Amino acid sequence: MTLELKLDFYPAPNPNRTGVLVLPGGGYEYISMENEGLEPAQWLNERNLDAWVLSYTVADKSNPSPIFPSPQCEALEAVRCIRTLGRVDRLGIWGFSAGGHLAAVTATDPDAALDFAILAYPVISMAAGTTHEGSRRNLIGDHCEAGGDAEIAMCAERRVSESTPPTFLFHTANDGAVPVQNTLGFAVAMARYARPFEILVLPDGPHGVGLALDDERLGWTGELERWLKGTAPSA
């Protein structure tokens, strides 16, 4: 069955055959399009990378919680659709917050066979005390028991394996919405399987900073660009 996707394409002016699927955040309740979708797409285009931004299913009146597994199916279908276009030889994924959770779940799915992943202040775990409660509620529902099948399946740190692609992780240490333990847990899992990763944790900053391009204190894309040049050499 082919899913109907809202997948917007932002072509690079001088494409280098590397592309990125961008997944904005929003707690699986809305899509934070401007600073976590459009701005990253422009940043990628300026570096000759094609970008696609997916508006995945979120919990609302027409799609009540729990929405699992719709976003996960849509992200995998988006990967498949992008590859059928034949524009890219290397494909990565970039997610923010709840979109970072969706990106992490997709990147750890061997069927996606992604080349790299970027996770910005991501929700990683669905376990109480670590997760973002709103994202958990919207995705798997209030009635999902702790340690239940859906919770375990959606704990991205449990999904890391020998096939997980190189990953760049960004967080702030005192993020008040999504605890930094999410990023740290994913990094530990990557180390356990000897997968390449870089982790950048800034000491202070709020959740949802986006790219922070005009903020000298919170700017992080310079390090991301350096990492991309080593991980996706055409970037």
Side-chain angles (χ1 to χ4, degrees), residues 10-165:
Y10 298 88
N14 299 293
N16 60 15
R17 299 199 61 80
T18 297
V20 179
L21 172 61
V22 179
L23 304 174
Y28 284 116
E29 186 173 357
Y30 65 95
I31 299 293
S32 181
M33 183 58 73
E34 187 64 36
N35 72 321
E36 295 175 352
L38 300 181
E39 191 170 7
Q42 180 180 353
W43 187 89
L44 291 165
N45 286 170
E46 289 170 352
R47 287 150 184 83
N48 298 321
L49 282 79
D50 283 337
W52 288 263
V53 180
L54 177 66
S55 296
Y56 50 88
T57 294
V58 295
D60 55 24
K61 290 181 179 179
S62 60
N63 298 289
S65 171
I67 56 172
F68 171 78
S70 293
Q72 288 67 41
C73 294
E74 291 160 1
L76 284 172
E77 179 67 7
V79 169
R80 188 196 67 80
C81 288
I82 292 169
R83 285 220 169 90
T84 62
L85 298 174
R87 284 186 61 96
V88 298
D89 299 320
R90 297 174 60 83
L91 180 61
I93 197 165
W94 186 355
F96 297 78
S97 192
H101 176 263
L102 183 53
V105 169
T106 306
T108 52
D109 188 326
D111 290 340
L114 289 163
D115 294 291
F116 59 91
I118 305 162
L119 308 178
Y121 41 89
V123 179
I124 293 294
S125 179
M126 288 284 116
T130 302
T131 192
H132 175 251
E133 291 296 337
S135 296
R136 185 189 192 279
R137 180 173 58 252
N138 289 324
L139 183 62
I140 60 177
D142 285 329
H143 300 298
C144 179
E145 296 181 358
D149 291 345
E151 178 183 288
I152 291 173
M154 287 295 98
C155 282
E157 74 278 14
R158 292 174 173 259
R159 300 166 57 95
V160 173
S161 70
E162 294 88 349
S163 63
T164 302

Side-chain angles (χ1 to χ4, degrees), residues 117 165-169 183-184 186-200 227 231:
T167 301
F168 183 96
L169 298 124
T183 279
L184 298 177
F186 196 87
V188 167
M190 291 289 283
R192 182 180 302 124
Y193 284 93
R195 300 305 300 142
F197 71 94
E198 179 170 337
I199 179 171
L200 174 62
W227 179 84
T231 303

